[in-house]
Every structure is written in structure tokens, then in C-alpha cells.
Amino acid sequence: MYRAKHFLVLIILILPMLLPAWVSYESISNPYFKIFYRKGWESAALNLLQTMEYYRPYVEELTGNRMGQIPFVIEDMGNIVNGYTNPVGIKIAVFAYPPSSGELSVGEDWWQMVGVHEYIHMAQITKISGEPAILRSIFGNMLYPNLYQPNWMSEAITVYGESGMDKYTGRMNGGYYPSIVTALAKESKLPSITKAGYNSSDYSLANHYVFGGSFYKYLADTYGADKFPILYDYTGSSLFSYLNPIYSNLSLNAAYKQAFGKGLIELWNDWKAFEVAKPVSLPRMPITTDGWEKSNLTYHNNSLYYTAYRRDKTGPFSSFGSHTLMRMQYPAHGARLETIVSQDTDFPVGFKLLGNNLYYSRQEMKKGFGNNEYNGLGVLTEICQKDLYSGQSRKLITGPIRSFCITDDGAALYLSEDDEFHDKSLLYRYDINTQQKTSIARLDMLVNSLHYLDGRLIMSAKGFLKNNDIYELDLGDYKLTALVNTPYAEDVVSVSDSQVIYESVYDTHKGCYSLDLKSGRISKIGDFDYIASYCVADDGSNYFLALNSDGVDVYSDPLHSAPYSLPKEESRAAYTKLEAGKDLLILDKYPVTHGGYAANIGHMLWPRMLRFPIIEPNENGEIQNIGVILAGNDILGDFPQWIASLIYDLESSKFGVELSLQNEFFRPISQTLSYSSLGKGSFFADQSIQLLTRMNRGIKNVWAGFGLATSEGYTRKLWYPYLGTSFGWGNGKASMVNALMYETTEYWPSDRNRLGWQGNLAIKQKLGPRMEINSKVAMAFDPDAGEDRVFSNIRGYTKGWDHNKGTTFQNTIYTPLIRIREGIWNPNIFLEDICLGLFYDGAITGDQEPVLERWAGGIELIGEFSMGYMGSLDLGLRVAYNKDKKITPSLVISNESIDFILGNRKMKHRW
């Protein structure tokens, strides 16, 4: 009877995996690519496959690597712009939303940008030969040598490669990345080769994408892009590449010397000297000096408005960021700066001003999208209205809004919304009073900005294999007229009765231009290397955004206009747009094979990630267990990871297994299962569901779950339902989880009866621009927990607090104390800041008369160490004084410590 009940409960928990599945993914493929997509997305998949096949020879030549079939997944995430490569699991995911602005929007096609970028990652990282190839074939994909390279090197070839397809595409051709590097170079702030691989607070805009892309463009321009395959031949065939995170010079210096004739450090310094020596024209009259990110500069009613983003460093690996809409009143006469809107999301389609009303945008999570990545959640845009006098705000409309504008009388909004596949734009008129939305046009292009002008819409829009051009749509007869049409990206900034102000990168530098609507003449505004969001005040003063080493600031240098002739270049589409059901050939010659879900299962079953041997000693140092650990994954994220270990105990001559599986197949339920036959055996199952996900302030997340943990040969069976929630406000955040702990001696019996509660609360609050308070509270009433540990220890004590009722709290005030922000190359270690912490912890009993049984206070000095290109570590010293009048110095390692007590010389290790 016992075994029957045991088996029944296991079947109930595992049953979802045995039920027939309703699968919504299909696939198309050729010998080099397999594209997975949701039903209805076949046209998008065909065009992605065509793009990848067209650029495949380019990527193979760039990296020197021809791969087998690589799986891609198209994910509809709403207006999230992204993509990623998993070289260990052999998978590429591309998010379907083409960006409407920013550095990623410079490109003739989104599949071209994101697909090629990620495919270059896969080709470069999986380039392998010689002894490493033998090791990888035996032990799995974790042994690709090019996994172990600096972050800037991983992104260098992709950023350069996306920009090398043609001069109209990619971040190195968009004006933004080169200008960031130029601004840093002119103030001698380019990083060391070590610092470039880590995210430092010294750089508000620059990162390893910027530094790596610029460095590789210099190498390609100086030595030729044909040297990159030589470089990767070396790094992919050297056993020393595995040691790069520890001692970078073992492989990398020799690899660069073989490819380029100089060692890596010398090449890096040559690049920095080249950037410093570049002639440059920069503005000199800033009216803001706080740097960071700024955009959408607009002049309205004697004030400048712009959107901004900044992050303030407040503690060890901790910071607070905010998106704001700022107003600067009377900028020419002692400007006063104030925050009009502060929010947790970007302003995805900017803002508009009319009279005393502000119309601004924000993002929000909604259900109903075709993706596995976020379990069907995606991001939409909300348009809100705020009265600048009263300060009252209201939400007007939510949707897949790509751009919007307001009519002169304030009665209606004009909206550009994406169709279901982010392929076309649907134009609407939204009546603010009646809240009615009327369709006015469907365009076979994406409209990325809208501006209303006397019964017309002036817009930036891009067609198939085209950058943004400027168009005029007459709202009377809906005639569409091209105003500016070149291979380069043109983005409208503002319109007036006589002219259109727009941005472009015609001469490698980002500048502002004016189009005279009557004569059609083009003028260039100013001659600085970077000018954005140009606007003119009522008194004729001009303002614009420009870059410096701290980020973007508002400048007021006088700018003059000069006639400008548009480039006469033409960019012809290399291939035609495909449509499902009509087109059966890729590039008019390659056939397409259709498939289903089975390939995903086939991919999952092979342990491509890891196939490592296991050797475990006993207490005497003798080998006791031998075996192998295997790990794999699927493509679609239904089974993101499984791990299996087969172990042989030499003493007992018995085999044992350990299995774990992450199961996301029955979304929105997420399940983690694990089983072990070692020892007396154990089984663990956890099911959870996300009940609410929000991006804006207030309640952020609500989740619930239910778990079972067995141990001690299944004599212990702990059931634990739980509920969690998180909150966010302007300068703080909190999360709380409550769980019931239940065991019974009746049905499927445990060895005890237990009904208890445990809860945890975490709060982080910003205190000023460079300080935070971090509080953690643990509460419990779990009287039957027995020997189970209910509370973790507080600082200042080495012995655990063995209570099952009560409260513990840990409060710490942190602030960065000493800036280091430099590192060493060999071994590869980077230290950002040393932070000061003042703490006070306590433990209160849960008796009828609660007692503060323990307390301790003290000081911490914590260094923010990063190493091996990826790992981070809090490393420092702590001194605590507790209720027992003992002074306890500690070594802080991450969140653990190695404590020793002065006086009795007793040392205790906690790992």
C-alpha cells in the first residue's frame, strides 16, 4: 500500500510531462539553418532564412568557420529589442521587433542586423580545431576555447561584422559609437585592456560593445579584415585558451601577434593613440553637465524639455536607475531644472507638447504574445497625458504603438501601430474625448516617427531593405510622397510651417539637417562631429545634444546652416521579400524544408552541453565514487536544461543516479524536478506560476508555487505552498515571500506532523545620490521544525540561532568609499570600488514575551572584484561587536564569511 501511494504521488507530480502536448511551433530549414516559429509567422521565418543564407558566406569568410545547421527561434516579445546566442546549447533567439530609434535602428533590415550579429557570435565561438576539438567532442560544448575570452573580444567581431556588410548598416556606421570613443579619447579616458572587459561606473554610455567594435574596426582598417580568421584559428586550436580568464597572455598575446604582427597590448595601445590623434570638432558651451543619457530635446513655451536616464552607484554591485522627463525653464537666463515625469521604463516613443499638456509614453507588460521567452508576456506602449499646471496625469491608450503625434487643436492623436508581425504600420486617428480609434491607412513599411502639420503627417518610415526615409502623408487624399530618400537613415526631429529638421549620418558623423518644405533645399546645421535633437528658441538661440566623456549634454554653441547636397548613392535590394504560400525558394534557387516540433525533442536528448567525468574522494582522500555527468537543453525553452549523473560507489559496488529537469512546457507553470538514488534517496518537485508582471511602479510581480521535498529515504516529505510579491517606488524596491511548511503522519506519511509558516522580506532604499539602506527580515512560526534550520545566522555570531519561532533582521547602510576602477591583465582581476557598510543585526525570540536575544553592530569594507571576464565577488573585511561583548573580525566573501573569534582563537568555516 505504501509503495502504491508513493508511486501515485510521483505520477501526479510528473503527469504533465506524460500528457499529449499541443504544440504551436513549426520550422523551416535548409542545410545551414533551421528556423522555428509560431503558427502564422512563416513569412517572417522565410525572410529570416533568406537573410541568413545570403549573408552566410560573409560570416564564414569573416570568422573562418563554416558550421552545420544552426537553429534559430523567432520570439514575439512586443516592443523589446534584442537577440542572443547560446553557443553551449547551440541556439540563437531573435526578437521580432525592429527598433524605431537608437543605435540599433541604423540598418536596412532588422533580420540583417540581429540575425547576422548573433550568427557571427556562433561562428566565432564555435571555431575549433586540434586538441581542443578532440576534448570538446568528448566532454561537450563547454570546452569551446573561444568561450573563454574577454567580453570586449566577444562583442568586437559582432559589432564590427554587423557594420561591415555595407556602410548603411551597423553601430559603427551610426555615428553614435564612434563619437563615444572620440569623446573619451579627447579627455584621455579610454580604458585599459582589462577595464574594457567589465562594466565600470566610470562610463555612462561606453561598454565592451563600444570598445570592442571600435578596436576591431581599427584593426580591420589598418591590417585588413582577412586577419580575423587567422586570429580565431589560433585561439580555437590552443589549449592555453582555456586559461585566458586566469592568465590572458598565454594564448591571446601570441594569437594577435600571429594574426597582426604585434602583441595584443601593443595593438590596444596603438588603437588608443590612433583615437587620441584623430582631428575632432566638439562644442564648448554646455548648459547641462551631468552627462549620462539624454534624448528628445524640444523647446516649448520658454523651456527646454528632454528625456534622460542615469544610474547612481550606491553600494557593492548595487545602483539605482531612473528614467526622467526634464524641464529647463528659461535656458538662456539662469536655467532652473526640474523633473516633470519619473518612471521605471524608457519613453519608447518619446513625448509631445501642446499648450499646457504633455503627452508622454511608457512601457508595460501584457499577456498574449507568441513567445516562450517570457511565457507569452510582451511589452506594449502606453500614451499618457499630464496637465503641466495641475500635475494631474491619466493614461489615454495602450497598444503596439511605434510612434504618435497630436493634432494642433489637441482633439486627437495620430498613431502608428505595428501589425501582428512587426512588418507593416497601421495608422489610426484616436479621438481623445470619445476614446474611439479610427483606421486611416495601412502602409507596407514601418513608420518610426510621426509629426502633424496642417492636415499632413510628416514621418520617418522604412520599407523592405531600406533605412528610414522621410515621407509626407496627405490626410485628405492619403497620398504618400517621399521628401528625402537616400540609402542612409533619416530621422525626423521636428517640423514647422516651413521646414523639417532631421538627423542623419551622411559623412560618418551624426548631424542635423533642415529640409525647406517650399523649395525642397537641404541645409546642414553646424559642423561639429555629433549633433542631435537640434531646436531653436523664440529668441533665435539654438540648442542641441552632443557627446562628452560623461555622456550626453545640452549645448548652446551657435550653429550656422549651409546648403547641402544629398548623397547620390543608391542601394539596391539584394533579394526580394518572401511571402508564405507563394515563395518556395530562398534567393530564387534554394529549396525550403518544412518541419515540426520533433527536431526540438531530438536536440534536447543529446547531452551537447556537458559530458564530464566525476571522481569523488571519501574523508580519507581515497576515491570512493566515479561516474559521469551529462547536461543538455532544447531549442525552444520548453526544457531549458536537464542534468543527469551516473555514479558508481566503489565501496558498496552499487550504481546510483541523480536527475534534474527544468520543465517550462506547460506555460505559464514552471516546474523543477530532481531525483537522487544516492544515500537513502530523495525527490524534489517545485511548481510555480507568475500571476502578475508589471514594469511600472507599485506592485511589480506576484507569483505562487507549490513544492515537495523528500529526504532520508522518503521518510521526510515536506510540502510547502508559497506566495511572493515585489514592489517598486521612486527610489526603492521590496520583495516578500511567505511559505507554509506542512508534514503529516497520515496520507503518504512523513515522520512527523508539522504546520508552520516562514516569511522573508527584503527592502532596498536609496539614501541620497551615493548611499543605500539594505534591510532583510526573516520571520517564522514553525514550532515543529525539529532539527531543520529555520533562521540563517546574523552577523557577529559564529554559532547558528537554533530557534523555530521569532524574527531576525539585518540592516546595512552602504556607500562607495574609494574609487579604484582598474585592474590587472595577468591574472585577470578588476576592482571597481571599495564600499563602506555600517550594519546592525538582531534576533528576537517568538515567545509570548519577545526578547532581543542577539544583536550585533559593526563596520564592513567590501571590494567589488570581478575576474575571469565574467565572475564577480564581494571581498572584504568586517568587524562586529555583539551583545556578548565579543569583537568578531570576519573575512567577507560574497554573502558568506569565514569567521574567527578573538580571545579563544577558535576558527569556524562557513561555505
Side-chain angles (χ1 to χ4, degrees):
M1 185 67 178
Y2 170 79
R3 289 183 178 275
K5 290 181 179 179
H6 185 168
F7 181 74
L8 177 62
V9 175
L10 290 178
I11 289 298
I12 291 174
L13 289 167
I14 305 175
L15 187 59
M17 297 191 60
L18 306 177
L19 294 174
W22 179 262
V23 182
S24 57
Y25 275 94
E26 299 176 346
S27 69
I28 58 173
S29 62
N30 73 357
Y32 295 98
F33 305 97
K34 181 180 286 290
I35 314 295
F36 287 87
Y37 58 93
R38 293 266 177 164
K39 290 182 179 180
W41 283 76
E42 185 174 348
S43 291
L46 282 168
N47 285 288
L48 173 58
L49 180 58
Q50 177 170 249
T51 301
M52 299 315 303
E53 183 58 41
Y54 181 81
Y55 286 104
R56 177 179 58 81
Y58 166 76
V59 174
E60 292 172 350
E61 182 179 1
L62 180 67
T63 62
N65 188 19
R66 171 173 287 192
M67 299 174 287
Q69 191 181 70
I70 301 297
F72 279 65
V73 184
I74 297 176
E75 298 274 47
D76 179 17
M77 310 294 295
N79 66 10
I80 300 178
V81 177
N82 210 344
Y84 65 85
T85 297
N86 178 353
V88 177
I90 308 297
K91 164 190 172 178
I92 292 175
V94 289
F95 296 0
Y97 187 84
S100 58
S101 61
E103 65 269 21
L104 288 174
S105 67
V106 180
E108 296 173 308
D109 180 67
W110 176 235
W111 294 146
Q112 176 195 37
M113 271 284 289
V114 68
V116 171
H117 179 104
E118 302 303 340
Y119 191 53
I120 293 172
H121 268 312
M122 187 70 76
Q124 187 264 318
I125 292 174
T126 61
K127 172 74 171 174
I128 189 170
S129 61
E131 292 92 343
I134 298 172
L135 292 176
R136 189 212 63 82
S137 67
I138 298 171
F139 298 118
N141 292 346
M142 285 296 296
L143 289 186
Y144 278 121
N146 287 329
L147 285 169
Y148 307 97
Q149 60 189 2
N151 291 325
W152 62 257
M153 186 171 169
S154 296
E155 297 300 341
I157 189 63
T158 56
V159 172
Y160 168 76
E162 77 190 27
S163 308
M165 292 179 285
D166 59 54
K167 61 181 179 179
Y168 314 118
T169 296
R171 280 169 276 192
M172 297 311 299
N173 294 322
Y176 185 64
Y177 273 25
S179 294
I180 293 173
V181 171
T182 296
L184 291 169
K186 290 309 165 186
E187 298 184 37
S188 300
K189 292 184 178 180
L190 288 175
S192 68
I193 196 169
T194 303
K195 187 174 183 177
Y198 299 98
N199 291 322
S200 173
S201 298
D202 272 349
Y203 302 120
S204 58
L205 304 179
N207 51 36
H208 46 279
Y209 289 81
V210 174
F211 299 131
S214 179
F215 178 49
Y216 269 35
K217 187 176 189 308
Y218 164 76
L219 292 180
D221 291 347
T222 306
Y223 299 95
D226 59 333
K227 302 299 188 298
F228 293 129
I230 302 173
L231 172 68
Y232 301 133
D233 278 339
Y234 191 102
T235 59
S237 62
S238 172
L239 292 174
F240 288 123
S241 294
Y242 296 123
L243 299 177
N244 282 338
I246 301 172
Y247 199 85
S248 301
N249 266 359
L250 279 177
S251 168
L252 292 180
N253 195 61
Y256 278 85
K257 192 165 187 177
Q258 179 166 314
F260 300 99
K262 292 182 179 180
L264 177 54
I265 302 296
E266 186 177 2
L267 290 169
W268 189 268
N269 291 331
D270 287 350
W271 163 68
K272 290 169 66 174
F274 169 79
E275 294 293 345
V276 169
K278 273 185 181 178
V280 63
S281 176
L282 300 175
R284 299 176 178 273
M285 298 173 61
I287 61 172
T288 66
T289 56
D290 55 338
W292 283 87
E293 299 178 28
K294 297 180 179 69
S295 57
N296 300 307
L297 183 67
T298 302
Y299 186 85
H300 178 74
N301 286 352
N302 299 313
S303 298
L304 288 173
Y305 293 79
Y306 58 86
T307 55
Y309 175 77
R310 68 171 293 123
R311 294 197 70 85
D312 292 320
K313 178 76 175 295
T314 54
F317 293 107
S318 179
S319 60
F320 284 83
S322 62
H323 296 269
T324 55
L325 199 159
M326 308 299 295
R327 175 168 66 189
M328 181 184 293
Q329 294 183 314
Y330 303 104
H333 307 284
R336 181 169 66 93
L337 193 62
E338 58 183 320
T339 301
I340 302 300
V341 176
S342 177
Q343 60 188 37
D344 287 351
T345 80
D346 194 4
F347 297 84
V349 295
F351 65 90
K352 304 291 182 183
L353 291 154
L354 182 68
N356 300 320
N357 286 305
L358 166 69
Y359 303 86
Y360 66 96
S361 58
R362 66 186 186 191
Q363 296 171 303
E364 190 53 272
M365 279 275 188
K366 299 292 181 181
K367 297 179 180 179
F369 288 85
N371 68 69
N372 280 356
E373 196 72 28
Y374 286 180
N375 290 337
L377 289 171
V379 176
L380 294 176
T381 297
E382 296 182 344
I383 305 297
C384 303
Q385 180 183 12
K386 180 171 185 174
D387 188 305
L388 294 175
Y389 282 169
S390 68
Q392 294 182 341
S393 297
R394 61 170 177 156
K395 183 173 67 177
L396 296 179
I397 188 172
T398 302
I401 301 169
R402 181 170 286 270
S403 56
F404 82 104
C405 62
I406 182 79
T407 57
D408 291 340
D409 58 5
L413 301 176
Y414 281 96
L415 309 171
S416 163
E417 295 189 359
D418 283 16
D419 70 349
E420 182 182 359
F421 309 108
H422 309 291
D423 189 43
K424 300 176 176 62
S425 283
L426 312 175
L427 300 186
Y428 296 95
R429 185 183 188 275
Y430 175 76
D431 190 292
I432 294 176
N433 293 323
T434 65
Q435 300 182 9
Q436 296 296 310
K437 191 168 72 171
T438 305
S439 175
I440 62 171
R442 178 185 178 93
L443 300 179
D444 193 19
M445 58 178 64
L446 290 175
V447 177
N448 290 316
S449 70
L450 279 175
H451 302 264
Y452 183 82
L453 179 63
D454 297 333
R456 296 170 288 169
L457 293 177
I458 307 297
M459 62 181 70
S460 299
K462 62 189 308 178
F464 180 68
L465 290 185
K466 285 280 292 177
N467 263 305
N468 272 341
D469 291 318
I470 301 176
Y471 295 88
E472 175 187 278
L473 179 68
D474 191 297
L475 294 174
D477 57 14
Y478 298 108
K479 180 181 178 182
L480 187 67
T481 304
L483 300 179
V484 180
N485 185 350
T486 75
Y488 298 89
E490 288 102 9
D491 301 300
V492 176
V493 173
S494 63
V495 300
S496 65
D497 291 341
S498 59
Q499 66 177 357
V500 174
I501 304 297
Y502 70 93
E503 300 168 354
S504 191
V505 188
Y506 292 139
D507 54 0
T508 72
H509 300 299
K510 185 166 186 174
C512 282
Y513 301 82
S514 67
L515 165 66
D516 189 299
L517 289 172
K518 296 180 179 178
S519 67
R521 289 193 293 267
I522 304 289
S523 297
K524 184 178 180 180
I525 303 170
D527 57 0
F528 295 123
D529 282 4
Y530 185 97
I531 298 174
S533 292
Y534 170 84
C535 60
V536 179
D538 294 337
D539 63 2
S541 303
N542 62 242
Y543 302 96
F544 59 96
L545 299 177
L547 285 160
N548 55 56
S549 64
D550 295 321
V552 179
D553 275 306
V554 182
Y555 287 80
S556 61
D557 300 58
L559 300 178
H560 303 286
S561 296
Y564 186 83
S565 297
L566 291 175
K568 303 299 183 183
E569 308 162 33
E570 291 187 7
S571 177
R572 296 184 177 180
Y575 41 84
T576 59
K577 191 173 184 180
L578 303 180
E579 186 176 341
K582 295 182 179 180
D583 297 297
L584 302 177
L585 295 177
I586 297 297
L587 302 176
D588 295 325
K589 56 183 178 180
Y590 299 115
V592 173
T593 301
H594 286 76
Y597 190 80
N600 184 56
I601 300 299
H603 187 99
M604 180 193 71
L605 294 177
W606 175 243
R608 68 190 69 248
M609 298 176 70
L610 195 65
R611 302 183 291 273
F612 264 31
I614 298 173
I615 302 175
E616 295 178 344
N618 58 19
E619 294 180 353
N620 299 322
E622 301 170 340
I623 297 176
Q624 178 175 335
N625 296 324
I626 59 173
V628 63
I629 181 172
L630 309 174
N633 67 294
D634 76 338
I635 299 167
L636 298 176
D638 291 334
F639 310 101
Q641 187 179 77
W642 62 264
I643 301 175
S645 300
L646 177 64
I647 298 172
Y648 181 72
D649 189 320
L650 295 175
E651 293 183 0
S652 65
S653 299
K654 291 183 179 179
F655 281 98
V657 296
E658 289 185 329
L659 305 171
S660 68
L661 173 69
Q662 186 179 350
N663 174 26
E664 306 288 342
F665 189 78
F666 290 90
R667 293 176 171 85
I669 296 174
S670 177
Q671 187 178 54
T672 301
L673 301 170
S674 65
Y675 166 79
S676 174
S677 68
L678 302 181
K680 296 181 180 180
S682 64
F683 176 78
F684 170 85
D686 184 275
Q687 292 71 222
S688 63
I689 184 171
Q690 195 80 12
L691 300 175
L692 176 68
T693 303
R694 296 182 65 254
M695 300 179 70
N696 289 291
R697 292 171 183 173
I699 298 178
K700 294 274 193 176
N701 296 280
V702 178
W703 65 96
F706 181 80
L708 166 67
T710 72
S711 59
E712 300 175 20
Y714 306 103
T715 59
R716 290 288 308 278
K717 304 171 189 69
L718 173 64
W719 306 83
Y720 58 95
Y722 56 91
L723 178 68
T725 186
S726 65
F727 309 85
W729 55 94
N731 287 311
K733 53 188 176 182
S735 64
M736 178 171 58
V737 179
N738 290 280
L740 290 178
M741 319 300 286
Y742 177 74
E743 295 181 74
T744 179
T745 57
E746 296 180 3
Y747 180 76
W748 203 38
S750 185
D751 66 353
R752 71 195 68 188
N753 287 309
R754 177 182 181 184
L755 180 61
W757 162 78
Q758 297 182 20
N760 288 277
L761 172 67
I763 302 174
K764 185 179 286 188
Q765 174 67 49
K766 185 180 179 184
L767 304 174
R770 285 173 46 81
M771 186 178 293
E772 71 178 39
I773 182 169
N774 197 330
S775 298
K776 298 176 182 178
V777 180
M779 301 159 284
F781 181 83
D782 197 359
D784 301 314
E787 69 278 7
D788 289 0
R789 175 61 64 87
V790 175
F791 293 99
S792 60
N793 210 5
I794 64 170
R795 290 167 288 192
Y797 290 86
T798 58
K799 185 179 179 180
W801 196 57
D802 296 325
H803 283 249
N804 50 31
K805 297 181 291 183
T807 302
T808 63
F809 59 85
Q810 301 180 60
N811 298 307
T812 313
I813 294 176
Y814 286 116
T815 186
L817 183 65
I818 303 173
R819 293 187 178 188
I820 306 297
R821 301 184 183 178
E822 195 48 85
I824 55 177
W825 184 237
N826 297 297
N828 198 271
I829 301 173
F830 178 76
L831 175 57
E832 177 75 354
D833 290 343
I834 297 174
C835 296
L836 171 68
L838 302 175
F839 68 88
Y840 179 72
D841 296 358
I844 304 171
T845 63
D847 304 324
Q848 287 186 343
E849 295 183 5
V851 176
L852 182 61
E853 189 172 276
R854 289 184 173 187
W855 60 260
I859 187 171
E860 296 177 339
L861 286 176
I862 298 177
E864 301 171 298
F865 286 88
S866 298
M867 55 196 68
Y869 314 143
M870 60 191 79
S872 61
L873 181 69
D874 291 339
L875 180 62
L877 297 173
R878 175 191 301 142
V879 178
Y881 177 79
N882 66 22
K883 185 180 180 180
D884 300 330
K885 299 182 180 180
K886 290 184 178 179
I887 297 174
T888 308
S890 309
L891 175 63
V892 180
I893 302 178
S894 291
N895 294 318
E896 300 294 332
S897 62
I898 303 172
D899 296 328
F900 56 96
I901 301 174
L902 293 180
N904 63 7
R905 300 180 183 178
K906 180 180 178 181
M907 181 178 289
K908 182 172 182 178
H909 297 268
R910 285 177 58 242
W911 298 100

